Amino acid sequence: MMADDLGIGDLGVTVQNARAAAGLPAISTPNIDALAAQGMSFTRMYSGAPVCSPSRASLLTGFEMNHVVKEHTDRHFEQLRAGEHDKTWGQMLQSTGYETGMFGKWHLGGVDSPGSTLGLHTPHAIPPQKGFERTFGSMNGGYRSPRQWEDDGMGSLKLTQVPFLPPPNNWPGPGLSYEFSEDVTTRYVTNFIRSNAGSNPFAAYVAFEAVHEPLDYFGPGQYAGKDWPEVQKRYASMVTNLDKNVGQILDAISDPNGDGNTADSVASNTLVVFTSDNGALWTPNSSGFITEFFNSNGPFRGEKSNTLEGGIRAPFFVRWEGVTTPGSVNNDHVGNFSDIYPTFAQLVGQDTPIGQDGVSMLAAITGQGEVEQQDALVWTTKDHYSGLNQASWAIQMGDWKLIRRMSNLAYELYHISADPYETTNLAASRPDIRNALQQVVQLEGVLEEPYFVNGGIPAQWNNVFFTQYKSWSPQAGSVDFATAANWAGGTQHNRPGDPDAKYWNTGPASNWLATVANTAGGFQNALVAADAKVLGMEVEGVAGLMQVAVGSTATLVAYNGVRVKEGGIVHLMGGTVRSVKEVEIQAGGTLTGAGLIGGYQHVIAGIPEFAGRGLLEPEVRNAGVIDISNGSLAGLLRIDGDFEQTAAGELHIDLFARGPGGVAYDKLMVSGEAVLAGSLVLNLHDGFVPLPGQSFAVLSAGTLVAAGLHLAGPGAEMFSMSAVGSDLVLTFAMADFDGNGSVNADDLAVWQDQFGGSAGGQGDGDNDGDVDGADFLRWQRHLEAPVAAPINASVPEPSGLALGVSMTILGVMLRRRSTSTQAT
């Protein structure tokens, strides 16, 4: 549930109850207050934008507004695009079997206001085509109109008359009396809940029009006797009516059949979110509303359309009965609306669109799992409503926020946790932070817009930088990743009269969401021979293996992450992949080769406030295969960030008989934390036989956690694995029980006496029908305690085969190094 232009201070639980207790003008919101008391309040959540439309686009798609078609996505050529482009969480939930509904204000294209003669102008952008089969509301302005848009049951929309009411009514006119459309919308919502509760999984997106202008609701007269300006009474009435509607929706969840008995409640498996699209109405405005009259923006400065806290800090309450702790407050999670899509996706076990800005809040909501949040939050606004100085961009990392005003190109730097009202500008005294955040804004793409480079000249607001959905389709046998002709898709035009979209057909660029998939069969290779940059990349083998190979002198930037799906391969041929988010190897995917996976932590190096927080660093997550390789030589893979391997993941390491000191081996170096489960697959290269007691530090990390990791692969049983500091060390098992420096008949005698040495008996540890040296090493590996002295038993002299323990018996376990994924 999302209100429109509701300030963070307009609710009882945030500000109004305290005002009432102090005898000041106050608004009553008992139902929203109860929702907060029953769930968790997030005090550092932000809207997607300082104004309506891009905020909604961010909420639905999981992208921040600098990566969506903006600034007003409701205009004819600035709207959500078709199909998987600008995919909403409604579409994602539909694909998993959810019944979905959108109720209220859409404001994302496709439809003009109900009173307009243009009507439905872009069918692909309407809610039934973007994931919400059940639809009712104003869609695109026409606030509280007597006609509303409704789905027609066939994937399109129709106009529906709001019911008339006999007097007395709650609509002030002019014209015939009809029901307040906000109340009608709520009735559609509650009917949708009641019809699905207990039978179908359902998801409702409820976008209230209140309390956006016009402030035209008088209500039941709760505030009629107050000695307040008339416009403030109307505003308070609209907020309280909004609260009433929220209460009706919560009642439908708690008592779906409406019989007063909550035995049929679905609250225990229903996640409820309440928020507002941006800050409160600006002051002054056409209605005469005064923001400060109710302290609508609480302890924050600014208002709607401004990148100050008052324009973007949003009320944000989450309730999941039995999961969220009643009355709990989260002051730690710093996020925005782009986090909502990935939260829902994790909840139902679905992938997010590649390159998405948001991260899941589910761990913060449930208190279980690893809590994540975005490194940087970004907002832009080009508007100067009411002649105020709002047009600007803003970026926040941790407790620090940088704003640049377009009117005078001035910088404002605030330490938000210490100065939430943003009174002390530290831009001059902390140029290190100012410059670092400026660089991150550049990386995020904000400065690709002419408006934010050329001093806010309105004529240069062309909106040319937004995500391009591109797919690999090699032409004429070319394998060049950078060749523009090898890519298909994208959006050329923004709106009539504007230039082509930036980087529409240039070859890989910073706003590209690149899908590299093999749909033709066989083996396909895309070679990154020179530096290239995309926003996000997904590699998948559909009809055959699909490899993206990064050459030794090349850097491939996938700023918002890489996903390697089944049949996909990313091969580092000594090259570099850079990202500030996840490099994810899914089941069936492979990362191979040697090189570097890094980020942009150098941008904030040396700034104490950002140290040790893992900002601008990648996290490599492996549920597939990482096979370190370098041809016939040992390979080194470096991760300048964190590494996590799941129980399904495999890390392949080879040991060689060459290199410095006569021994070389593959190695993984992780600058941050390495959390390891799954398998460490050990392979002995041709001709190499380790010596008893020989050790190999195959992984080094800043911090090492190896619970759940086990050895696998040919010869693995011959080794022990241990953590030595933050190194993971493999040691070849010793069979020299008497400590004389060699494996001889005395050691074999101990084995035969203690374990049994007859063929086919206990001594045949590998069940191959022979009792030999391989069984000896197997037994020694699992021996609970070493034998202190040799036992002088009278036993036959073992054969040469049996005693060639350290040399010849391992030959059957050696594997020839695979070169099937070498780039050609």
Side-chain angles (χ1 to χ4, degrees):
M1 294 181 285
M2 182 170 69
D4 192 345
D5 294 355
L6 180 77
I8 195 171
D10 282 329
L11 304 172
V13 67
T14 56
V15 169
Q16 299 303 307
N17 290 342
R19 288 179 60 86
L24 299 171
I27 305 171
S28 175
T29 58
N31 294 297
I32 299 172
D33 294 352
L35 174 64
Q38 294 159 5
M40 177 179 288
S41 300
F42 286 82
T43 63
R44 301 195 67 187
M45 275 296 289
Y46 293 88
S47 63
V51 290
C52 300
S53 182
S55 189
R56 295 158 197 273
S58 179
L59 181 145
L60 287 172
T61 66
F63 287 91
E64 290 189 318
M65 62 178 298
N66 52 305
H67 292 144
V68 299
V69 181
K70 59 181 186 301
E71 178 106 348
H72 294 287
T73 46
D74 57 308
R75 293 176 181 170
H76 287 202
F77 289 87
E78 296 181 311
Q79 55 203 342
L80 295 185
R81 289 163 285 183
E84 293 292 297
H85 296 186
D86 299 332
K87 182 178 181 180
T88 73
W89 52 257
Q91 290 169 281
M92 179 269 295
L93 291 176
Q94 270 187 330
S95 70
T96 67
Y98 274 72
E99 298 291 325
T100 58
M102 186 276 149
F103 306 95
K105 178 181 174 180
W106 178 240
H107 216 212
L108 293 169
V111 184
D112 281 304
S113 64
S116 170
T117 58
L118 296 178
L120 183 66
H121 59 70
T122 313
H124 71 246
I126 62 176
Q129 295 299 316
K130 296 305 295 181
F132 301 99
E133 65 263 26
R134 193 73 182 97
T135 299
F136 181 86
S138 64
M139 298 298 104
N140 194 33
Y143 293 93
R144 292 166 287 281
S145 169
R147 293 196 303 167
Q148 301 285 291
W149 291 100
E150 183 176 6
D151 65 275
D152 66 359
M154 297 179 288
S156 190
L157 294 173
K158 63 182 180 181
L159 280 170
T160 296
Q161 177 68 49
V162 171
F164 291 102
L165 284 178
N169 60 80
N170 60 359
W171 178 259
L176 295 173
S177 303
Y178 49 88
E179 192 171 359
F180 193 63
S181 60
E182 198 91 332
D183 298 339
V184 180
T185 298
T186 298
R187 189 159 61 247
Y188 271 81
V189 178
T190 57
N191 289 340
F192 174 79
I193 294 171
R194 296 184 193 282
S195 65
N196 286 292
S199 58
N200 302 309
F202 66 88
Y205 169 42
V206 186
F208 294 106
E209 293 177 345
V211 287
H212 195 289
E213 291 185 293
L215 303 180
D216 51 15
Y217 181 66
F218 288 99
Q222 177 175 347
Y223 304 104
K226 298 293 185 181
D227 184 21
W228 303 344
E230 185 65 27
V231 67
Q232 305 295 156
K233 287 191 283 188
R234 291 191 183 189
Y235 185 84
S237 294
M238 290 183 68
V239 174
T240 297
N241 191 68
L242 165 71
D243 181 80
K244 177 201 72 176
N245 289 322
V246 169
Q248 291 177 359
I249 293 170
L250 296 176
D251 287 345
I253 294 170
S254 298
D255 182 15
N257 65 11
D259 66 354
N261 187 332
T262 59
D264 58 340
S265 171
V266 294
S268 64
N269 65 335
T270 302
L271 184 70
V272 179
V273 178
F274 178 87
T275 189
S276 177
D277 64 345
N278 45 247
L281 291 172
W282 54 88
T283 299
N285 60 34
S286 57
S287 68
F289 170 74
I290 304 297
T291 307
E292 290 79 8
F293 188 84
F294 293 115
N295 197 15
S296 290
N297 281 327
F300 308 115
R301 185 162 65 102
E303 63 286 301
K304 174 182 178 177
S305 82
N306 205 311
T307 52
L308 289 167
E309 294 291 283
I312 53 178
R313 188 85 73 112
F316 201 90
F317 310 124
V318 178
R319 187 193 76 181
W320 184 355
E321 188 177 279
V323 177
T324 51
T325 302
S328 56
V329 177
N330 187 313
N331 297 316
D332 299 322
H333 183 86
V334 182
N336 62 16
F337 282 176
S338 65
D339 293 341
I340 291 175
Y341 187 128
T343 301
F344 293 172
Q346 184 181 4
L347 197 60
V348 298
Q350 294 292 300
D351 280 340
T352 56
I354 187 63
Q356 199 174 65
D357 292 300
V359 298
S360 174
M361 298 174 61
L362 193 59
I365 292 170
T366 64
Q368 299 178 2
E370 181 183 357
V371 176
E372 298 180 276
Q373 59 187 26
Q374 297 183 58
D375 289 352
L377 305 177
V378 178
W379 305 269
T380 66
T381 181
K382 68 177 183 65
D383 293 307
H384 280 292
Y385 288 122
S386 304
L388 301 176
N389 182 22
Q390 298 113 321
S392 59
W393 57 253
I395 180 171
Q396 183 165 328
M397 286 184 64
D399 292 330
W400 291 88
K401 178 177 170 186
L402 181 67
I403 300 173
R404 195 178 199 201
R405 300 286 172 195
M406 291 300 102
S407 60
N408 57 11
L409 299 182
Y411 290 100
E412 301 170 24
L413 177 66
Y414 301 109
H415 189 219
I416 294 299
S417 60
D419 180 24
Y421 198 70
E422 297 168 291
T423 59
T424 305
N425 183 359
L426 301 174
S429 61
R430 291 303 304 268
D432 54 341
I433 296 178
R434 183 196 68 210
N435 293 336
L437 294 184
Q438 171 92 6
Q439 290 184 61
V440 178
V441 162
Q442 177 72 64
L443 292 169
E444 292 277 350
V446 173
L447 303 187
E448 299 285 357
E449 293 285 11
Y451 185 84
F452 294 116
V453 178
N454 298 323
I457 303 171
Q460 293 181 329
W461 178 251
N462 297 319
N463 189 200
V464 296
F465 185 84
F466 46 88
T467 49
Q468 297 290 338
Y469 295 80
K470 307 292 284 190
S471 59
W472 172 256
S473 181
Q475 302 297 309
S478 169
V479 298
D480 186 8
F481 186 84
T483 299
N486 287 342
W487 295 88
T491 305
Q492 181 178 7
H493 290 289
N494 182 16
R495 57 180 184 254
D498 281 355
D500 289 352
K502 200 165 190 179
Y503 308 130
W504 164 61
N505 199 24
T506 59
S510 56
N511 60 346
W512 278 31
L513 301 172
T515 298
V516 186
N518 180 352
T519 58
F523 175 84
Q524 286 192 355
N525 182 53
L527 178 61
V528 183
D531 292 353
K533 184 175 184 179
V534 295
L535 181 60
M537 183 179 73
E538 188 169 77
V539 185
E540 181 177 13
V542 177
L545 294 177
M546 181 72 242
Q547 175 174 276
V548 174
V550 184
S552 60
T553 61
T555 295
L556 173 61
V557 175
Y559 187 77
N560 269 359
V562 176
R563 180 179 294 146
V564 187
K565 303 181 74 172
E566 184 174 3
I569 304 166
V570 171
H571 184 187
L572 294 179
M573 302 166 60
T576 298
V577 170
R578 290 199 182 277
S579 179
V580 300
K581 298 194 74 174
E582 290 182 9
V583 176
E584 178 187 10
I585 301 98
Q586 294 188 343
T590 302
L591 170 66
T592 187
L596 170 66
I597 298 177
Y600 286 92
Q601 52 267 59
H602 61 274
V603 171
I604 55 175
I607 301 177
E609 288 83 354
F610 296 144
R613 303 184 62 173
L615 297 173
L616 304 181
E617 297 178 4
E619 178 175 14
V620 178
R621 291 188 176 180
N622 180 33
V625 171
I626 294 180
D627 188 356
I628 301 175
S629 63
N630 187 21
S632 61
L633 301 174
L636 174 64
L637 176 62
R638 292 191 294 126
I639 298 174
D640 281 355
D642 293 335
F643 175 57
E644 178 186 0
Q645 179 166 287
T646 71
E650 297 180 5
L651 174 61
H652 289 241
I653 296 288
D654 282 35
L655 306 184
F656 294 80
R658 59 177 61 84
V663 177
Y665 50 92
D666 292 340
K667 186 166 186 175
L668 175 62
M669 296 185 67
V670 181
S671 67
E673 182 181 53
V675 179
L676 304 174
S679 302
L680 176 62
V681 181
L682 178 63
N683 300 288
L684 305 180
H685 197 60
D686 291 350
F688 177 58
V689 179
L691 300 174
Q694 194 169 19
S695 295
F696 310 88
V698 296
L699 187 149
S700 295
T703 304
L704 177 63
V705 180
L709 181 69
H710 66 275
L711 281 172
E717 64 187 20
M718 310 299 178
F719 290 82
S720 64
M721 181 171 60
S722 60
V724 180
S726 57
D727 289 348
L728 186 68
V729 178
L730 303 181
T731 303
F732 188 68
M734 284 290 289
D736 182 16
F737 293 110
D738 58 10
N740 67 358
S742 64
V743 179
N744 55 28
D746 290 336
D747 301 305
L748 182 60
V750 175
W751 168 57
Q752 289 178 318
D753 183 66
Q754 299 293 322
F755 198 71
S758 60
Q762 283 183 307
D764 187 14
D766 57 10
N767 297 312
D768 65 352
D770 294 318
V771 179
D772 54 22
D775 301 306
F776 180 25
L777 285 185
R778 179 184 293 273
W779 168 77
Q780 191 276 333
R781 171 76 190 280
H782 295 286
L783 194 66
E784 291 185 359
V787 178
I791 298 176
N792 295 316
S794 176
V795 295
E797 184 70 11
S799 68
L801 174 64
L803 281 180
V805 176
S806 295
M807 297 295 176
T808 59
I809 65 166
L810 295 180
V812 296
M813 299 183 180
L814 301 178
R815 65 114 174 174
R816 186 172 300 277
R817 189 178 187 88
S818 171
T819 58
S820 61
T821 60
Q822 302 277 334
T824 58

